[in-house]
Amino acid sequence: MERYLPFNSIRKQYKLRVSNELQMYALKSLRDILLLALAFFIENTALQVISSVKHNHIPLRDLFYELLRKITSRKQFCVAYRLSVEQLVLCWIFFCFLNGSKGLTTIQKSIRCLIIARALRVCLFSMTILPSPKIHCNFTQPINPFKVTVGGACNDLLYSGHVTIYTVVAISLTILSQNYSSRICRYGLPILVWLYITQYIICTIFERHHYSIDMFLGLIVTLLLWQCKPLHIDLPEVPQNLFLHLNQLVFPKFHSAHKEV
């Protein structure tokens, strides 16, 4: 019986510190994160398989790109520093954590939105192969699902994957900024974020990473997915006093000492 005492003690402490509500939140959050990782893995594999198929490399005509070139030049418009997707996601997660439970709820909805958006993207670019806007692009690498391939692997992927992430981030910041009393934060932050997204879309078209239709569809599809309530059923519900529960779980001695005082 003594062998099982440590295990019984751990189980007892677990039940005391981890509520059922917190367990369900953790399990559902883990479920959605794993689904998002699976969606990225399938997408990365599919684009390499499709890019290995022989196809016409002549780019399609992009009228909006031609209009942009007549109006302005890339050097004049794309002057601001652009964050990479990884940097933007880190800033977004940090900002959401600063907003407590509302920020975490926004992250959960964003993850669900990205899961569906990336799954739809795989279906669309698997149906019709569009040639890359870059003429001299050619994919000759062996197919490796565990190697991340960016830029479409010499195919244009309808719609843009990057713009789905940027749009979700912009929506999240717009919603969370409404919680602040300052008018500068409530109105200024959303305006700056959406201007940044617009510049990113136009610069991506200028650099010939995507056609303009890809950027437009990625933006519209993400906005529609965000507003479609039936797609967000069974989202993880943030427990009340989540951060207090986590504090008790990680620092139980500090919490009990503080309680005694």
Side-chain angles (χ1 to χ4, degrees):
M1 292 293 294
E2 293 182 358
R3 293 181 180 178
Y4 298 97
L5 285 177
F7 176 76
N8 291 334
S9 176
I10 293 173
R11 186 172 61 178
K12 183 179 178 181
Q13 291 297 322
Y14 177 83
K15 288 182 177 180
L16 287 173
R17 298 174 189 172
V18 182
S19 63
N20 292 330
E21 191 181 11
L22 185 59
Q23 290 181 51
M24 290 303 299
Y25 175 73
L27 289 173
K28 288 184 177 181
S29 299
L30 183 61
R31 173 202 63 190
D32 287 350
I33 292 173
L34 291 176
L35 285 174
L36 181 60
L38 180 62
F40 279 119
F41 178 80
I42 294 173
E43 178 184 5
N44 184 58
T45 306
L47 74 88
Q48 293 185 47
V49 172
I50 291 172
S51 296
S52 63
V53 179
K54 292 183 179 180
H55 61 278
N56 187 358
H57 290 279
I58 300 175
L60 302 176
R61 188 175 181 185
D62 191 337
L63 297 179
F64 186 69
Y65 168 72
E66 295 176 8
L67 177 64
L68 285 175
R69 290 193 62 182
K70 289 182 180 180
I71 295 174
T72 183
S73 66
R74 177 181 173 275
K75 291 182 179 179
Q76 292 176 337
F77 194 84
C78 305
V79 292
Y81 174 73
R82 283 189 293 166
L83 296 172
S84 65
V85 177
E86 294 80 8
Q87 291 172 334
L88 185 69
V89 168
L90 289 176
C91 294
W92 167 58
I93 293 174
F94 179 73
F95 182 79
C96 288
F97 269 97
L98 290 179
N99 285 270
S101 298
K102 291 184 178 179
L104 293 178
T105 302
T106 305
I107 288 179
Q108 300 294 347
K109 189 173 181 179
S110 301
I111 291 174
R112 178 67 61 83
C113 190
L114 285 175
I115 291 171
I116 301 170
R118 307 305 285 219
L120 284 174
R121 184 171 183 251
V122 173
C123 295
L124 288 177
F125 73 66
S126 299
M127 292 178 183
T128 304
I129 300 177
L130 299 181
S132 172
K134 296 180 180 180
I135 300 176
H136 303 292
C137 190
N138 190 22
F139 181 77
T140 57
Q141 303 173 17
I143 298 173
N144 183 2
F146 298 98
K147 182 180 180 181
V148 179
T149 305
V150 295
C154 293
N155 278 314
D156 185 69
L157 304 181
L158 182 70
Y159 42 84
S160 169
H162 283 78
V163 80
T164 61
I165 298 176
Y166 277 74
T167 305
V168 163
V169 171
I171 295 172
S172 302
L173 296 182
T174 301
I175 292 173
L176 294 176
S177 64
Q178 304 309 307
N179 299 325
Y180 295 96
S181 57
S182 172
R183 288 187 177 182
I184 296 176
C185 293
R186 286 205 315 269
Y187 301 108
L189 183 59
I191 291 173
L192 289 176
V193 169
W194 285 106
L195 285 176
Y196 181 82
I197 294 297
T198 303
Q199 187 196 34
Y200 168 79
I201 290 173
I202 293 176
C203 289
T204 303
I205 296 170
F206 259 128
E207 295 167 355
R208 305 297 280 162
H209 291 308
H210 277 285
Y211 296 111
S212 55
I213 186 63
D214 303 327
M215 309 304 292
F216 177 75
L217 282 180
L219 177 66
I220 296 300
V221 168
T222 309
L223 289 173
L224 291 176
L225 290 175
W226 186 276
Q227 294 298 330
C228 189
K229 293 182 179 179
L231 298 177
H232 302 284
I233 295 174
D234 197 34
L235 283 175
E237 295 183 7
V238 180
Q240 293 183 351
N241 300 321
L242 172 63
F243 294 99
L244 179 61
H245 289 312
L246 292 177
N247 185 26
Q248 294 177 17
L249 181 64
V250 179
F251 305 106
K253 293 182 179 180
F254 174 80
H255 182 75
S256 59
H258 181 72
K259 214 171 182 183
E260 290 175 1
V261 173

